[in-house]
Amino acid sequence: MAQIFLFFSAPKRLLGRRALIASPLIGVLISAGTGGCATPTKTSLVKIDTVTKAAVKATSDIVIADFEGAAYSDGWTTTGTAFGAGPAHGAIGGQQAVSGFVGAGLINTYLDGSDRAVGTLTSPPFVISRKYLSFLVGGGHHPAENRVDLIVNETSVRTATGGDSEQLQRNQWDVSDLYGKTATLKITDTATGQWGHLNVDDIRLTDAKLPDEQTRLLASAMTAIRAAVPAAEADARRPAYHYHAPAQWMNDPNGPIYYKGWYHVFYQFNPYGPKWGNMHWGHARSKDLVNWVQMPPALWPSRSAGEDHIYSGSIFPRADGIPMAFYTSIGGRDPEQWGAVAASPDLKTWRKAPQNPLVSNANHGSDKVAEWRDPFLFKQDGVTYMLTGGGLNDHGVVLMYQATNPGLTAWKYLGPIFQHPDAQIHNIECPNIALIDGKWMLLTSTYGKVESFVGQLDVANRRFITEKRGVLADGSYASQLMRNADGDVVYYGWMHTEEGAGWNGYVTLPSVLHITSDGTIVSTPVKKFESLRGKHVQITDRALNGSLDLSDQISGKSLELIADIDPGAASSVTVHLRTSADGSQSLAIRYDVATRTLHVPGRGDAVLPASMGPNLKLHVFLDNGALDVYAADGAVVLDAFHSDVPAANLGVRLTAEGGAATVKTLDIYAMKPAVMDDSVFGK
């Protein structure tokens, strides 16, 4: 049998614990039969029986540094104060949780709990003796100020930075062209503002190529989500039948679509924490818009292509029927509109369009659009159009584009079709448009509210003509529209919450929209929510003078209430939910009869339209701290979230002040939780 002997110079321990710098291979001798060769002086001899084993030995990783000690290893030098006297061991001061590092130690320049410290950390020289240099990096995305540089001949030949996240991600440089050269690593932090720090760990030379970026980043996201799910599910404050991400931060719903018998909703998602950052698109699907199957994240920021975040957008079928996602790509450049094509029927897998960017600021000619984002697609008279929001000449505008090929990868800029009537609105987010009951409805998200404009879309003259203006679902933001299986338009909005235990944010109840003859938009919660109804209490034609306590008949933190109340002589009528035993605390939905003003806790006041009649008509959904109030047959919708309601407050009470009212009908249902199937995350 042939025998192979590999000779290496004795490893030189330059960098402390686990950190080895190996000299290049001296030579390989092959002998046949029982013959052999003399062992060279001062070398180590490795005997391997097969070529395969020899290759494995020859390509084992060489760890440059793991930062496990109390101090930096011999040969590492610092300047300034950002790197301290040695490695950190996780988060520092008020820093968010730091994750993704190996072992106990890492570089963390959030020194003394702030981003103000600056400095450098430089390694001893080492020989590049593998194909790749691999390391973990996180912290701020400041390519010029927060950076890891590979220095060869006093020149930076590779550089990397963080991604505005405390989750360290594996980065890898192909250094095969530098094989045998001597190099150093220089880690620099000169940023002092937000995210002005860097996290680095586990630097190694390797011959093992990392999986492709999509596979790597989505796998990392899944790992982080799985770790956060138990804490999120244990938080009793989280809604039970409003759709929410499996864990971590979510904001804008994106790209809802009905496809092959399933409803899909996507959303802005940070897999790595309950605060904004690292924007991906999360994903879930449902048969009924009530019970959901959680899916893996769908879209990821392509770091290698300069993407830092996947912002909001929509999904629309190409001419061949395959869904295509359109979103705003954010990086160290102007925003761009990118596309991704569904690569599986369940919309689990996506492929970024090779033509990206599909639309850039170059399409706008002399128009300089600020805060440009959130593409929304629709079709009219056989032509596909795209809307985006932004600011033009310091005014909030909606811009329109026309597709010029069936694959939706080429677009013609048509200009602004809508300018916000308020001069103080400098940019518009998340524009949506739909034709409903013969009227066009344009939705815009501006400064914390979703506004509605009902009117006509004049495509030929490229303008939207407003006939009636309003606020849709006050309290929600970043709207999205879709057509359900029956062709009705369904509305989604995002509800921001205070940071919970491993979660933040949820989606409002999906609502079907219609427009009355006078241009009023009315919202009706999706009927399938009736399937969650449990215990039922009904009251009809009962006088209400003072207080009516129903807590002994029905109570809880998850209820549906439908009321038709004739105010009669009362000056105000109030529905109290989550009431304390002594009645001193509650979520009080109060109606002032004289002014027709409805007050919902956590929201502003809303005036109910006289056209909807004299009675107070309410349809209320209570879901732990989530409160969705549909009033005046859905002409007014207000959404709020209350995270501080004491767990013991479960009562239900009605009051009338100033005189007697009449409860014409009152139906209250205990609501069961919706199914949120988290099995893909190991549940």
Side-chain angles (χ1 to χ4, degrees), residues 428-449:
I428 284 173
E429 295 184 299
C430 301
N432 313 148
I433 197 168
L435 183 62
I436 306 174
D437 301 324
K439 292 281 190 180
W440 284 94
M441 177 192 70
L442 175 67
L443 301 181
T444 65
S445 287
T446 51
Y447 303 2
K449 60 184 176 182

Side-chain angles (χ1 to χ4, degrees), residues 28 62 82 108 117 127 230 270 428 460 473 658 663 667:
V28 178
I62 300 170
N108 184 350
V127 174
N270 178 9
I428 284 173
V663 179
D667 291 275

Side-chain angles (χ1 to χ4, degrees), residues 7-30:
F7 308 27
F8 296 90
S9 296
K12 183 177 180 183
R13 188 174 297 272
L14 293 178
L15 305 181
R17 184 178 174 187
R18 275 179 44 208
L20 301 179
I21 305 299
S23 298
L25 180 67
I26 292 177
V28 178
L29 296 182
I30 302 178

Side-chain angles (χ1 to χ4, degrees), residues 551 555-557 577-583 585 644-652:
S551 303
S555 61
K557 60 182 182 179
L577 301 174
R578 300 296 303 267
T579 305
S580 60
D582 63 4
Q585 297 176 321
D644 56 352
V645 181
N649 290 10
L650 301 173
V652 178

Side-chain angles (χ1 to χ4, degrees), residues 658-681:
T662 301
V663 179
K664 303 297 290 182
T665 60
L666 175 66
D667 291 275
I668 307 177
Y669 301 88
M671 293 289 278
K672 297 174 289 187
V675 174
M676 303 285 172
D677 182 352
D678 288 342
S679 57
V680 69
F681 298 103

Side-chain angles (χ1 to χ4, degrees), residues 214 218 266 269 280-283 295-300 340 347-352:
Q214 175 182 355
L218 291 180
F266 302 80
F269 187 37
H280 293 56
W281 272 23
H283 178 204
M295 302 288 282
L299 295 182
W300 67 101
L347 307 190
K348 178 180 177 180
T349 307
W350 295 79
R351 296 287 181 262
K352 301 282 181 78

Side-chain angles (χ1 to χ4, degrees), residues 529-600:
F529 279 97
E530 295 177 4
S531 66
L532 302 181
R533 290 172 176 174
K535 181 180 179 181
H536 178 210
V537 170
Q538 185 178 64
I539 294 173
T540 58
D541 295 320
R542 179 178 295 190
L544 177 62
N545 194 356
S547 177
L548 174 62
D549 192 344
L550 301 172
S551 303
D552 60 342
Q553 299 180 56
I554 193 164
S555 61
K557 60 182 182 179
S558 189
L559 301 171
E560 179 188 4
L561 179 147
I562 305 171
D564 183 351
I565 301 174
D566 179 355
S571 59
S572 69
V573 176
T574 305
V575 174
H576 302 265
L577 301 174
R578 300 296 303 267
T579 305
S580 60
D582 63 4
S584 63
Q585 297 176 321
S586 71
L587 297 178
I589 303 167
R590 189 182 73 251
Y591 177 58
D592 182 85
V593 178
T595 62
R596 298 186 60 84
T597 300
L598 185 70
H599 174 75
V600 173

